[in-house]
Amino acid sequence: MEIADQLVRSAGDGDVVEVARLLGQGAVVDAPGRGGRTALDLAAEQGHADVVRQLVGGGADLGQQAGEYQELTPLCLAANRGHTAVAGVLLDAGARTGAQGRLGYVPLVLAATAGDEGHPETVDLLLDRGADINALMKHRTALDWAVRFGQEEMVHRLLGRGAIPSAGTLAAAREHLGLHPEHRRKTEHRRKAERIAAFLLAVGVAPSTNQQPGTESGDLG
């Protein structure tokens, strides 16, 4: 097995000792393995913070293409998976928090919307490190996306951290019901959307028939 493949495999397994040994033997830190992915890519995806720290210390490119389809960056991967410790290591090393990767993904939006209710700890870390809470991804903020996905707890969290709602945000809450008729049969899902809309009204977001949310569907991908 070539040394690049050994490094990538060891990083993905979280074997910090073997990673250190291979780097010491001259392995190129960002050399891709046979699958086209690098050591930092897999270590970030799997949540191996100690390995990520070692690779970054060895000069790994923080902004490299990452992910199965090379559409992300290491920080985007960590944010999407909720690997807060990995995200912290990358941020300490200087990873930026704005739109990145070939598709312009925003780490905060990914952290806020992954899974059922996002990754609260990762969201807090990104915001504590200066991420723009109102940054746009596909013309919508993290709050807008959380509203569209019916993520009630994350909506409250983002508002509590200073997210700025708009009339379009409320329109998205209402559209969420209108665009997905099948959700009407899912009582709890519908109740969540209604509670989100009611809460947005309560914090002072006035309904508007003139301002419309963005034209994209509710799919981030």
Side-chain angles (χ1 to χ4, degrees):
M1 182 182 294
E2 294 185 0
I3 192 169
D5 292 312
Q6 295 178 46
L7 179 64
V8 171
R9 185 182 67 177
S10 297
D13 290 341
D15 191 341
V16 66
V17 174
E18 183 65 5
V19 168
R21 186 186 73 80
L22 291 167
L23 289 176
Q25 289 186 348
V28 177
V29 68
D30 283 333
R34 292 179 184 175
R37 302 182 70 175
T38 68
L40 180 59
D41 182 353
L42 290 185
E45 181 179 71
Q46 297 302 317
H48 301 312
D50 288 340
V51 173
V52 168
R53 185 177 293 106
Q54 190 165 59
L55 293 169
V56 168
D61 178 11
L62 298 175
Q64 65 181 267
Q65 292 183 344
E68 184 178 0
Y69 302 105
Q70 301 291 290
E71 78 280 22
L72 300 169
T73 62
L75 181 58
C76 283
L77 272 175
N80 192 52
R81 293 295 185 96
H83 296 319
T84 307
V86 170
V89 172
L90 294 169
L91 291 169
D92 285 343
R96 61 190 186 88
T97 59
Q100 54 197 265
R102 63 184 178 83
L103 298 180
Y105 284 123
V106 175
L108 177 64
V109 175
L110 297 178
T113 57
D116 292 335
E117 285 292 345
H119 303 298
E121 292 183 0
T122 310
V123 166
D124 284 343
L125 172 70
L126 289 165
L127 292 174
D128 290 343
R129 297 298 187 87
D132 180 3
I133 197 167
N134 296 307
L136 298 175
M137 188 174 103
K138 295 188 177 181
H139 309 294
R140 293 190 176 99
T141 66
L143 176 61
D144 293 332
W145 284 114
V147 167
R148 291 185 67 83
F149 291 154
Q151 295 172 308
E152 187 175 8
E153 293 180 13
M154 185 55 66
V155 168
H156 283 264
R157 192 177 206 90
L158 291 169
L159 288 170
R161 291 298 305 255
I164 300 175
S166 66
T169 309
L170 178 61
R174 290 175 168 172
E175 184 186 19
H176 184 72
L177 288 176
L179 283 177
H180 303 282
E182 68 275 14
H183 289 166
R184 295 170 187 168
R185 297 190 297 272
K186 299 177 182 179
T187 305
E188 180 54 30
H189 193 100
R190 185 180 183 185
R191 286 175 179 170
K192 274 189 175 184
E194 290 172 345
R195 287 197 298 268
I196 289 171
F199 183 73
L200 291 172
L201 280 171
V203 297
V205 183
S208 170
T209 57
N210 296 321
Q211 183 173 352
Q212 298 294 324
T215 58
E216 295 86 354
S217 71
D219 184 5
L220 285 176

